[in-house]
Amino acid sequence: ALLRRDNAQQQAAGFLEALLAALDDEAVVGPFVPMAFRVLAPVKVESAKASRAKLPPLALQQLSRTVLPSLIARAKGVKAVETAPWAKRAALESAVALLAGLSPEVACNDCSEELRFCTLTSLKRLKDEPEATVFAAQVLQLLVRAIQKQQSWVEDDLHSVVTPICDLCSSHRVPLVRLGCFQVLIALIQQAFGHLAPFKKQIQAGCKNGVEDRCREVRLLAVAALNTWHCVGSQ
């Protein structure tokens, strides 16, 4: 309903400016800014179920063009005013939430550089943040999309992708995140098997740990990842 109002664009701009200002001013609500972006672009696990709260695709695309560059600048700490560590983290999580809400085509084609920065930077953080469940799921979702859309930076940065994924697939406490890690490995093996020889031991060790996982769904996907490795390798 808000989007159909005559002054909706001005209200939306004011709301977004308030969110960004909360990051710059070290406001009490600053660390919760990512939650606001998850309301605008909710997490979507099953493709068959659409979220009622999700903004229309066009609105999200416009949002990415106006707000995403500002979030990336804050996450990198390149603003004129020094950005606090928590503000960089909140800006990064907000950017990831926004990218996850876009269609794979828009995220990979129109926001490729932002997608690369957010994915690789976030992967470095996830190992030290076992409580970041929603954030981790969205990062893995972005990575799977990038692999499926054959983004060239994935192969260029394989070390920054494979190593943290192999660690997370057995160490993260949330089964959904471990499942996501094996989805990433399966997609990687299918798309870039020829470049994965240096990571063979890491991948096989991660899969073997997954086969012994306490969660049945994780065990099944770990077996699928091992089978994919052997099948693709035998072709």
Side-chain angles (χ1 to χ4, degrees):
L2 176 62
L3 294 173
R4 291 193 293 268
R5 295 179 183 177
D6 294 335
N7 60 344
Q9 189 171 2
Q10 293 180 350
Q11 291 182 348
F15 175 66
L16 295 173
E17 288 177 6
L19 291 178
L20 296 176
L23 297 177
D24 295 336
D25 300 338
E26 299 189 14
V28 176
V29 299
F32 303 101
V33 168
M35 293 184 183
F37 281 94
R38 289 171 191 146
V39 172
L40 295 172
V43 180
K44 188 178 180 183
V45 178
E46 297 183 28
S47 59
K49 294 182 180 180
S51 173
R52 292 182 180 180
K54 188 174 181 180
L55 288 174
L58 182 58
L60 273 174
Q61 189 171 350
Q62 292 174 341
L63 192 63
S64 69
R65 291 175 179 172
T66 56
V67 180
L68 190 57
S70 298
L71 291 172
I72 297 296
R74 287 167 172 80
K76 291 180 177 180
V78 297
K79 295 290 292 180
V81 180
E82 185 177 354
T83 307
W86 68 262
K88 292 181 182 180
R89 182 170 62 253
L92 179 63
E93 291 187 14
S94 300
V96 166
L98 185 53
L99 284 168
L102 297 173
S103 68
E105 291 74 18
V106 172
C108 294
N109 296 332
D110 297 349
C111 309
S112 179
E113 284 303 315
E114 293 86 349
L115 179 64
R116 176 183 181 274
F117 168 78
C118 287
T119 304
L120 296 181
T121 304
S122 300
L123 285 174
K124 294 178 183 177
R125 281 186 43 200
L126 289 180
K127 184 178 180 180
D128 300 323
E129 297 187 12
E131 304 299 323
T133 305
V134 176
F135 175 56
Q138 288 184 317
V139 172
L140 295 173
Q141 184 183 51
L142 293 181
L143 183 52
V144 168
R145 290 178 178 179
I147 296 170
Q148 292 175 341
K149 292 298 179 181
Q150 299 182 344
Q151 293 288 286
S152 59
W153 59 263
V154 176
E155 291 186 5
D156 295 339
D157 295 289
L158 275 178
H159 177 74
S160 299
V161 172
V162 176
T163 299
I165 289 297
C166 289
D167 290 337
L168 288 170
C169 68
S170 58
S171 64
H172 203 281
R173 68 178 187 84
V174 179
L176 178 63
V177 176
R178 300 198 297 275
L179 278 169
C181 289
F182 285 112
Q183 288 179 332
V184 169
L185 286 179
I186 291 172
L188 268 178
I189 294 168
Q190 292 172 337
Q191 296 287 346
F193 180 81
H195 301 278
L196 294 176
F199 309 100
K200 179 178 178 180
K201 291 184 178 179
Q202 291 183 57
I203 293 174
Q204 290 184 338
C207 290
K208 288 178 180 178
N209 288 333
V211 170
E212 300 175 356
D213 196 277
R214 59 186 178 275
C215 177
R216 180 177 179 273
E217 288 76 11
V218 176
R219 294 198 300 270
L220 291 175
L221 212 55
V223 171
L226 274 176
N227 290 341
T228 303
W229 177 273
H230 292 304
C231 290
V232 175
S234 63
Q235 293 178 358

